[in-house]
Amino acid sequence: QSALTQPASVSGSPGQSLTISCTGTSSDVGGYNYVSWYQQHPGKAPKLMIYDVSKRPSGVSNRFSGSKSGNTASLTISGLQAEDEADYYCSSYTSSSISYVFGTGTKVTVL
Amino acid sequence: QVQLVQSGSELKMPGASVKVSCKASGYTFTNYPMNWVRQAPGQGLEWMGWINTNTGNPTYAQGFTGRCVFSLDTSVNTAYLQISSLKAEDTAVYYCARGGSNGYYRGSDYWGQGTLVAVSS
């Protein structure tokens, strides 16, 4: 199965908002509400930030929000902070091979 | 508190096998599926598959069938990943990650610290 498509990098200044896109197909992102987002700092394990498109696990800042339109999911970080600088990956259930797929990853830089 | 603790780094020769362990604590092991994820150096996350911790039934992603085996020892709340006939391109950090109670795809909320497997002659 092919990876979901994310921009390689996005950047923003502290306090700003930024949005990361995750584009798939009707067999994955567009067909199911099972999109998750993960944050990964260098040398660390990924951390779940959003699941089921827009739900936040306990303990995750409400500055992180998720949404979906058609075959594209989005993660928005509001009030950008230095600690948000990390790699972000989306993921989705896919009916193709009845499995699961990650996005290509996006490096977020806080200017 | 929920924890997944993985075994330590491994250095293996090409053609050898490796077995990575993932010991769970702080929750009922058989109530949550376990995913396995690979991350090659400088690369993104790649889903390898999952194992039903209630039945022991594994499901492998395309590209991970044949040389990878997921297994369990529920008596010690531990999941295992075994990779045989190792190749240089298997060099990566391998993660176990707890799936959602309602589906392995419903977000992995706890992750092991990762196990580096390096394959080199």
Side-chain angles (χ1 to χ4, degrees), chain A residues 1-6 22-29 71 90-105, chain B residues 45-47 61-63:
Chain A
Q1 59 278 17
S2 299
L4 306 174
T5 301
Q6 298 180 233
C22 170
T23 302
T25 69
S26 58
S27 295
D28 39 65
V29 174
N71 295 337
C90 62
S91 65
S92 174
Y93 174 82
T94 172
S95 58
S96 173
S97 303
I98 310 177
S99 65
Y100 189 72
V101 62
F102 282 103
T104 50
Chain B
L45 304 175
E46 191 173 14
W47 184 73
Q62 287 180 0

Side-chain angles (χ1 to χ4, degrees), chain A residues 57-74:
Chain A
S58 174
V60 171
S61 171
N62 59 9
R63 297 186 299 105
F64 293 85
S65 61
S67 62
K68 189 184 84 167
S69 177
N71 295 337
T72 298
S74 299

Side-chain angles (χ1 to χ4, degrees), chain B:
Chain B
Q1 74 283 19
V2 174
Q3 277 192 303
L4 299 177
V5 179
Q6 297 183 224
S7 48
S9 298
E10 302 266 11
L11 174 61
K12 295 291 185 180
M13 299 277 285
S17 295
V18 68
K19 193 170 188 177
V20 176
S21 67
C22 170
K23 183 171 177 59
S25 60
Y27 71 99
T28 302
F29 182 66
T30 53
N31 283 359
Y32 294 80
M34 192 68 76
N35 289 297
W36 287 95
V37 176
R38 181 173 79 176
Q39 187 169 36
Q43 302 301 307
L45 304 175
E46 191 173 14
W47 184 73
M48 301 177 67
W50 71 286
I51 186 165
N52 185 320
T53 53
N54 196 36
T55 65
N57 184 51
T59 298
Y60 302 97
Q62 287 180 0
F64 293 101
T65 55
R67 294 191 300 116
C68 296
V69 176
F70 306 148
S71 61
L72 304 170
D73 185 341
T74 56
S75 69
V76 290
N77 293 341
T78 301
Y80 300 94
L81 162 65
Q82 183 163 357
I83 310 172
S84 58
S85 302
L86 285 164
K87 308 172 185 179
E89 50 264 42
D90 293 321
T91 294
V93 174
Y94 293 84
Y95 292 101
C96 59
R98 189 180 83 163
S101 60
N102 292 324
Y104 67 90
Y105 45 85
R106 305 272 313 257
S108 289
D109 56 353
Y110 287 93
W111 292 63
Q113 81 276 20
T115 296
L116 172 63
V117 175
V119 183
S120 174
S121 55

